[in-house]
Amino acid sequence: MKTFRSAILAGICIGIAGFGYLAIGGIAGAFLFSCGLIAVVSYKYNLFTGSAGFFVKGELGKLGIILLGNIVGCLLIALMTRVSPMPLQEAAEKILSSRLSIGPLKAGILAIGCGILVTTAVTFARRDKWLPMLFCVPMFIVCGFPHCIADVFYYLSCSLSFWEAHIWNILPLYLCIVLGNFIGCNIYRILLPE
């Protein structure tokens, strides 16, 4: 339960960062998104992409719990988009439409880049070197590399009619993004196992 609660808090942090990105957009929004990952690492919350590159043998189930908790946390913040006077749902639907247009395979491949950048940022932050985080996070956003937790916040922020129209396309897309992030988070360990 402690892992799950920590994962919910991580999802809340990323949801708030995503909320800010939907509100501002552009380079400024991408840089401000960094505050979400900074909060997660500073508080040592469990974020899927912050944990996937560091798990040890036998912890794959724990990653599933973390992912579920992150989704719950994002849902709590996504509910706030329903009452905001800003056009957040439209911004979220634009992001999701872009992901849907390239399809699950390409989105999954692009998600590898996000996993590499997040693992790089977290590795340095754990050594009290925060500058890479201020560049890696905006980099994955500007490059359009999907982040499975930020993306789930955007998906949950979309209107119900958008979900109804695309539900069967969203699910395989999301699974490919999760897999791509997982591969990217582990690329260092895959290529240099020691």
Side-chain angles (χ1 to χ4, degrees):
M1 280 307 292
K2 184 178 180 183
T3 297
F4 186 65
R5 289 194 303 267
S6 174
I8 291 172
L9 288 167
I12 287 171
C13 291
I14 297 302
I16 290 172
F19 195 108
Y21 179 70
L22 291 179
I24 299 169
I27 300 291
F31 270 100
L32 290 177
F33 192 97
S34 298
C35 77
L37 193 55
I38 289 170
V40 167
V41 175
S42 297
Y43 286 119
K44 298 181 179 167
Y45 293 151
N46 289 309
L47 181 68
F48 179 81
T49 50
S51 304
F54 304 97
F55 80 99
V56 294
K57 191 175 180 179
E59 286 188 340
L60 209 52
K62 183 179 178 182
L63 281 178
I65 292 168
I66 291 170
L67 181 61
L68 182 60
N70 292 165
I71 291 170
V72 170
C74 285
L75 174 62
L76 296 173
I77 302 302
L79 293 173
M80 296 169 77
T81 64
R82 306 284 189 247
V83 297
S84 174
M86 295 181 282
L88 303 177
Q89 288 184 344
E90 292 85 353
E93 288 172 9
K94 185 177 177 185
I95 293 170
L96 184 49
S97 293
S98 172
R99 302 274 197 259
L100 289 168
S101 71
I102 64 171
L105 181 60
K106 290 180 182 176
I109 291 169
L110 289 173
I112 293 171
C114 175
I116 293 169
L117 289 167
V118 170
T119 297
T120 301
V122 171
T123 297
F124 280 95
R126 288 179 173 191
R127 299 173 187 163
D128 273 339
K129 296 177 182 176
W130 295 90
L131 196 57
M133 190 167 299
L134 293 176
F135 290 99
C136 289
V137 173
M139 177 67 81
F140 80 70
I141 294 172
V142 169
C143 291
F145 296 159
H147 180 275
C148 64
I149 308 307
D151 276 26
V152 85
F153 168 75
Y154 302 141
Y155 302 163
L156 294 169
S157 298
C158 292
S159 67
L160 189 58
S161 61
F162 191 91
W163 266 91
E164 289 171 350
H166 300 286
I167 184 71
W168 299 114
N169 296 321
I170 291 172
L171 295 176
L173 175 77
Y174 186 67
L175 291 175
C176 286
I177 289 171
V178 170
L179 181 60
N181 282 170
F182 181 81
I183 292 168
C185 287
N186 287 282
I187 203 82
Y188 294 116
R189 297 199 300 182
I190 292 169
L191 295 178
L192 289 172
E194 68 277 0

